[in-house]
Amino acid sequence: KVVAEYRVKYTPAEMKSAYALAKIADILFPGQIIKVRGAGNTEFGESLLVSERVPHDPSHAKLQQVLIAFDEREEKGKPTPFSDQEIDAAFSGVYDKSDERAHSPQVIDFARRAREAGFPFDTNGQNYSFHPDGTFTYMDLGPAFILRRDESGALTDKINLNFDPTKLHAAIQELP
């Protein structure tokens, strides 16, 4: 399993919605969405998504190593084993290769079908893991809704939806 921490701290309700929306997406697009096993917040308020491990293509694997080292340097002051040139190369390697594959007919068709079903999935290559057999897994899942905050940061009763309920309802109705 993989535990991914969101950079934004979401409320427990927002995290429940991330789990539910991911499950619906997996039903509508089997084999093309990460398999989410759980979502929630730690006692410290960190928002986590638990999913099955997806094999990374080589450029994503390198980027993951660099990002972990970079985060440790930024957050804990630990020196990174990577030079600035290696960091730049890792980022450009993922973005160059991913952007090229993300413009494939297969990914463009997936993103179109997802939008038609009400999901805001994109064709940004870094949000996909591409597999040797030509398939891919979309990995950029978020909450179904975001609670709005006022100027002071307090939660309001207003929400922003991260899906189109009419399109999603229609897509669910079309399931066999």
Side-chain angles (χ1 to χ4, degrees), residues 13-28:
E14 290 167 330
M15 290 308 299
K16 284 181 184 178
S17 79
Y19 177 81
L21 195 62
K23 289 299 197 180
I24 293 168
D26 185 45
I27 291 168
L28 291 171

Side-chain angles (χ1 to χ4, degrees), residues 63-74 80 82:
L63 180 61
Q64 185 177 32
Q65 291 173 345
V66 169
L67 286 174
I68 290 169
F70 185 78
D71 283 348
E72 287 185 349
R73 180 178 76 184
E74 295 297 307
T80 176
F82 302 103

Side-chain angles (χ1 to χ4, degrees), residues 79-110:
T80 176
F82 302 103
S83 69
D84 288 343
Q85 292 83 7
E86 288 174 303
I87 292 171
D88 290 344
F91 276 103
S92 65
V94 166
Y95 291 108
D96 293 346
K97 288 180 184 172
S98 295
D99 286 342
E100 178 184 309
R101 289 179 287 194
H103 289 89
S104 71
Q106 183 183 16
V107 170
I108 290 170
D109 180 61
F110 166 75

